[in-house]
């Protein structure tokens, strides 16, 4: 048995997980990592030492940069992510991890409001986002974001 | 149903080997080295064309979705099978083909739909066998979307297995291996 509650710390609400065995766990990333272990999916936290560190880095980025970001910060976040994702399929390289899930949930409200030109401008973010929203079991109740199909058919061949 | 795939060991057909590797959980297919590529389905039926071999293997295991999940995706897969045979392995400049491929991959993780299909396998295999692409890869920033997609697939399990086993004997790409 586990129970998820909210705790008010200052002006922020923080999730708390109570379970029958062990102490209560506090904080989004802590709880998410615990649930991945409970579900016997430790690979979601990364394989090698380097891979694990990368996952942690992006989980922290989500908490410190993305959550509660101001309107002016959104441009910077999109720009950073866009150049980072140019040569990557997932945030932590070539394997899907918890970092992808939590970043997807964290920036969904930003991407949903982007104009089509903005999505084209941040092409690598858009591609990653579209891939994650179609990843089995990730999107749930969130509204899908429309992404243009590829443009291969618009140009004539030969 | 037991199938037998014979491969030309001096110029292994990577696309067919990758497809065989992907379907081996659902289809009983054995691989033998020989002089020519052919897939023996029965005593009277055999395929020697690479695209026919990969298509047949993919159709035997529909649950894997290697041939796309609807009619539009199937047609897209066919488009890329032709593209890999005509444009990547063909004589006409690879740069033009890569430009087109790069554009198609801007907003895509996989070429067709949201998971791996024959399109990825066959275009990847054709590029892997191209010495021109190997030398282009050393130039940073050239066809960055193709480079990302190529490296991503190359890091996935069936690709690494087949890559290690067969690429050392791979001869520089030729237009065709049938005389």
């Amino acid at each position: 048995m586990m129970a998820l509650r909210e705790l008010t710390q200052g002006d922020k609400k923080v999730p708390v997980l109570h379970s029958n065995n062990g102490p209560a766990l506090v904080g989004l990333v802590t709880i998410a990592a615990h649930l991945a272990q409970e579900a016997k999916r430790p690979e979601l936290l990364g394989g090698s030492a380097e891979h694990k560190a990368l996952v942690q880095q992006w989980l922290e980025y989500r908490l410190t940069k993305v959550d509660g970001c101001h309107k002016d910060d959104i441009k910077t976040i999109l720009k950073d992510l866009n150049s980072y994702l140019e040569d990557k399929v997932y945030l932590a390289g070539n394997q899907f991890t918890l970092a992808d899930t939590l970043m997807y949930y964290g920036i969904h409200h930003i991407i949903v409001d982007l104009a089509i030109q903005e999505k084209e401008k941040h092409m690598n973010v858009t591609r990653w986002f579209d891939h994650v929203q179609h990843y089995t079991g990730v999107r749930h109740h969130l509204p899908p974001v429309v992404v243009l199909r590829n443009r291969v058919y618009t140009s004539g061949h030969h | 149903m037991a199938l037998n795939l014979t491969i030309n060991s001096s110029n292994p057909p990577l696309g067919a080997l990758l497809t065989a590797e992907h379907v081996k959980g659902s289809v009983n297919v054995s691989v033998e080295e020989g002089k020519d590529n052919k897939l023996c389905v029965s005593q009277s039926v055999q395929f020697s064309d690479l695209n026919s071999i990969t298509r047949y293997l993919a159709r035997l295991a529909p649950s894997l979705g290697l041939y796309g999940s609807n009619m539009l995706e199937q047609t897209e897969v066919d488009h890329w099978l032709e593209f890999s045979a005509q444009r990547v392995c063909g004589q006409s400049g690879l740069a033009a083909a890569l430009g087109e491929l790069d554009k198609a991959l801007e907003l895509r993780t996989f070429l067709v739909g949201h998971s791996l299909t024959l399109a990825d396998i066959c275009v990847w295999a054709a590029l892997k066998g191209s010495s021109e692409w190997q030398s282009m890869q050393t130039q940073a920033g050239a066809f960055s979307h193709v480079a990302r997609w190529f490296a991503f697939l190359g890091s996935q399990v069936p690709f690494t297995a087949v890559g290690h086993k067969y690429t050392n004997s791979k001869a520089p790409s030729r237009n065709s291996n049938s005389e």
Side-chain angles (χ1 to χ4, degrees):
Chain A
M1 261 305 275
M2 289 188 270
L4 197 56
R5 297 208 172 81
E6 264 183 336
L7 182 78
T8 309
Q9 276 184 350
D11 54 351
K12 272 190 188 165
K13 290 206 163 156
V14 180
V16 184
L17 184 74
H18 298 277
S19 64
N20 289 345
N21 39 358
L25 297 174
V26 183
L28 174 71
V29 165
T30 312
I31 293 172
H34 174 70
L35 291 177
Q37 298 282 10
E38 285 284 294
K40 306 253 184 313
R41 298 285 304 277
E43 77 278 6
L44 289 176
L45 302 172
S48 64
E50 190 193 346
H51 198 214
K52 284 192 173 94
L54 264 177
V55 174
Q56 287 302 323
Q57 171 188 290
W58 287 105
L59 292 175
E60 193 160 317
Y61 185 94
R62 150 86 208 253
L63 287 181
T64 57
K65 298 266 164 73
V66 179
D67 287 3
C69 66
H70 288 282
K71 255 205 152 98
D72 326 334
D73 301 333
I74 289 177
K75 272 203 175 113
T76 324
I77 291 172
L78 286 176
K79 221 175 127 217
D80 283 357
L81 277 176
N82 194 57
S83 57
Y84 178 78
L85 285 168
E86 168 150 28
D87 58 352
K88 290 168 198 78
V89 167
Y90 299 110
L91 283 174
N94 288 326
Q95 310 294 334
F96 178 84
T97 64
L98 197 59
D100 296 292
T101 315
L102 287 194
M103 186 68 80
Y104 163 77
Y105 290 136
I107 67 169
H108 187 276
H109 70 282
I110 298 175
I111 306 290
V112 132
D113 287 341
L114 285 187
I116 204 115
Q117 293 88 340
E118 286 288 299
K119 284 188 219 160
E120 292 241 329
K121 190 173 155 201
H122 302 103
M123 183 139 41
N124 301 314
V125 177
T126 306
R127 179 189 61 249
W128 165 85
F129 189 90
D130 190 42
H131 182 61
V132 176
Q133 75 175 349
H134 285 93
Y135 201 90
T136 312
V138 172
R139 188 171 63 81
H140 289 290
H141 61 281
L142 285 175
V145 170
V146 177
V147 169
L148 283 181
R149 296 189 66 80
N150 60 41
R151 286 176 262 172
V152 67
Y153 304 111
T154 59
S155 67
H157 297 125
H158 301 293
Chain B
M1 170 175 37
L3 293 172
N4 188 274
L5 174 65
T6 310
I7 61 161
N8 170 358
S9 51
S10 63
N11 187 8
L14 278 185
L17 287 164
L18 279 167
T19 312
E21 187 76 15
H22 273 92
V23 302
K24 72 178 180 190
S26 351
V27 180
N28 184 1
V29 50
S30 60
V31 177
E32 233 170 67
E33 300 205 355
K35 278 217 297 252
D36 293 308
N37 300 319
K38 66 172 186 236
L39 181 72
C40 295
V41 176
S42 69
Q43 284 199 316
S44 54
V45 180
Q46 55 184 42
F47 300 114
S48 57
D49 172 66
L50 282 185
N51 279 352
S52 307
I53 295 176
T54 52
R55 277 193 173 102
Y56 185 73
L57 288 175
R59 283 179 171 140
L60 284 179
S63 61
L64 297 178
L66 286 180
Y67 218 128
S69 54
N70 55 45
M71 226 125 72
L72 177 64
E73 288 188 7
Q74 279 175 22
T75 311
E76 291 187 47
V77 169
D78 285 336
H79 165 85
W80 290 113
L81 287 183
E82 174 119 2
F83 180 91
S84 74
Q86 303 291 326
R87 306 285 307 281
V88 183
C89 300
Q91 299 291 9
S92 63
L94 185 63
L98 282 171
E100 227 172 272
L101 186 60
D102 200 60
K103 208 139 189 53
L105 284 167
E106 281 174 348
L107 290 166
R108 291 277 160 228
T109 298
F110 297 101
L111 277 171
V112 177
H114 295 281
S115 59
L116 188 88
T117 61
L118 281 189
D120 298 294
I121 292 176
C122 291
V123 178
W124 188 89
L127 275 182
K128 182 83 179 169
S130 154
S131 51
E132 209 179 335
W133 168 244
Q134 303 293 347
S135 64
M136 268 186 217
Q137 271 190 292
T138 52
Q139 307 161 23
F143 304 112
S144 62
H145 300 289
V146 181
R148 177 197 66 250
W149 166 87
F150 188 78
F152 169 63
L153 291 183
S155 76
Q156 305 294 302
V157 174
F159 288 84
T160 49
V162 172
H164 287 152
K165 206 161 157 195
Y166 293 103
T167 43
N168 37 9
S169 58
K170 179 87 184 139
S173 91
R174 263 170 292 155
N175 190 21
S176 160
N177 49 19
S178 56
E179 254 78 58

